[in-house]
Amino acid sequence: MELRSRVLLWKLLLLQSSAVLSSGPSGSVSAGSSVVSESAVSWAAGAQAVLRCQSPRMVWTQDRLHDRQRVVHWDLSGGPAGGPPRRLVDMYSAGDQRVYEPRDRGRLLLSPSAFHDGNFSLLIRAVEETDEGLYTCNLHHHYCHLYESLAIRLEVTDNPEDASAYWDGEKEVLVVERGAPALLTCVNRAHVWTDRHLEEAQQVVHWDRQPPGVPHDRADRLIDLYASGERRAYGPLVLRDRVSVEEDAFARGDFSLRIDPLEPADEGTYSCHLHHHYCGLHERRVFHLEVTEPAVAAEPPPRDSPGNDSSHSSAPAPDPTLTRGRSVINVIVPEGRAHFFQQLGYVLATLLLFILLLITVILATRQRRRGGYEYSDKKSWKSKGKDVNMAEFPVATGDQAFYRSEDIQLDYKNNILKERAELAHCPLPAKHIDLDKEFRKEYCK
């Protein structure tokens, strides 16, 4: 029987890893802030503007009760005797453990290191008939306002073979033999239940401002507040000297922003960011501030002069339609790196077009000059051809025969022109001179 009890205890220890409490906001901390409120406010120029931003969960006080802000307690309801739920045992994060029933002292145990390793399981050394019922494991974090619970049903049996553990769809059901130990598992290892001495370092509030037309991701930081007392102010001195938050903001949970005096240039969207990393709080409150013209006190009408029945005063009344013009401030937003590359692309494209145009002009100029040279060569050749005597060029025999066969009938003014034309068409045959014969003639003389 003792062996079976040990086997059952080991089974319960294995089931411990699967029975983990589902943590709410403390389990998963979102990186961004969720907008919990958004409002539009209007204030007159020159007045004191107050943007309300309050949260009781951001109140920070020193722990004078030895870290008793976290507590775990086990309750039992629905036992054989019935009746309302009753408290069995509780323990604070400082390590103090308290058992309510005298008969349960030494029989109900909690791990002393529960708030360090996140194991809040309850061990019953020897199960009795009166231990049957619905057990609830309750975790309370008074500082962060967190409350979580886990239910387990315990049934007692006299048959060792019926000992088991199963899930009924809503909670774990544990069947244990009478006199055997039982382990009711309750595990939550979220940092909010295991860490301590980190509240002050992880609590911060900051205000942002968006001028008109500026998106949220490019807002300007105005002020940072830390629970340790550190403060950081940003922005121009003109606005920094007029923006303030109370010194005891974390003591009262009031982080309202005051702008005194208000100017028309202060118009825009203001955001109050509350970050409590320890408790998993990330909230944002948005205010759309509109600055109106200051109210002008109405001047009493001047009294009429005595003896004058006319109701008109000597000085004309001011025109109510005339309003003071608003001062306009031009905000130059620095451009990003993409704008620089865009302008560089425009310059390079313009330079490329200029180079192409220059190459086109050079090619056209060269082509025109080459055409002018060819034209001048042809013209000079034609001019030279007028003085050339065709008789000086050698002519083929076939061409000479062709010209001899032709009977050219031309009318000439005199014989000299006719002889020249005949010589041009029918040159005289070459004359053969015998030099020896000519020398003999000379010698004989």
Side-chain angles (χ1 to χ4, degrees), residues 415-431:
N415 295 330
I416 297 174
L417 294 178
K418 183 177 180 180
E419 289 178 0
R420 288 182 180 178
E422 290 176 356
L423 290 175
H425 292 282
C426 300
L428 296 175
K431 185 177 181 181

Side-chain angles (χ1 to χ4, degrees), residues 29-35 273 275 281-284:
V29 178
S30 62
S33 302
S34 58
V35 179
H273 298 258
H275 297 281
L281 175 66
H282 299 276
E283 296 179 353
R284 179 161 61 99

Side-chain angles (χ1 to χ4, degrees), residues 40-230:
V41 294
S42 178
W43 295 86
Q48 180 184 7
V50 180
L51 306 180
R52 299 290 180 183
C53 182
Q54 301 173 347
S55 176
R57 294 187 62 184
M58 293 292 294
V59 176
W60 180 83
T61 56
Q62 292 183 349
D63 186 11
R64 300 178 181 177
L65 299 176
H66 305 288
D67 197 20
R68 290 195 175 185
Q69 297 172 346
R70 295 171 293 172
V71 62
V72 55
H73 61 85
W74 282 86
D75 298 338
L76 173 62
S77 61
R86 60 187 179 92
R87 182 71 51 86
L88 297 178
V89 60
D90 59 18
M91 184 176 66
Y92 292 94
S93 53
D96 300 334
Q97 186 174 154
R98 179 173 54 180
V99 180
Y100 287 82
E101 295 291 338
R103 71 181 188 88
D104 293 335
R105 294 175 183 173
R107 199 172 66 91
L108 303 180
L109 298 176
L110 290 175
S111 174
S113 61
F115 286 98
H116 294 278
D117 54 18
N119 187 358
F120 306 96
S121 302
L122 176 65
L123 176 63
I124 306 176
R125 287 187 173 181
V127 176
E128 300 177 357
E129 187 70 27
T130 56
D131 294 334
E132 193 175 59
L134 182 64
Y135 289 78
T136 55
C137 173
N138 301 278
L139 295 175
H140 297 274
H141 201 307
H142 300 287
Y143 179 73
C144 295
H145 304 279
L146 298 177
Y147 306 96
E148 300 178 4
S149 63
L150 177 68
I152 301 176
R153 184 167 187 81
L154 177 63
E155 297 180 359
V156 181
T157 179
D158 295 329
N159 188 2
E161 298 179 356
D162 294 339
S164 61
Y166 60 91
W167 181 264
D168 66 351
E170 295 181 355
K171 59 186 176 299
E172 180 185 359
V173 179
L174 187 63
V175 182
V176 183
E177 182 185 0
R178 187 194 308 272
L183 182 64
L184 308 181
T185 57
C186 179
V187 179
N188 191 333
R189 294 188 174 90
H191 70 87
V192 71
W193 302 108
T194 57
D195 299 340
R196 53 180 299 183
H197 307 303
L198 297 176
E199 298 93 346
E200 183 177 351
Q202 297 184 354
Q203 206 167 345
V204 61
V205 176
H206 61 86
W207 278 88
D208 293 342
R209 176 180 178 270
Q210 303 168 229
V214 177
H216 169 66
D217 56 350
R218 302 185 66 177
D220 299 329
R221 181 65 54 87
L222 292 180
I223 188 172
D224 283 340
L225 306 175
Y226 297 90
S228 60
E230 182 182 0

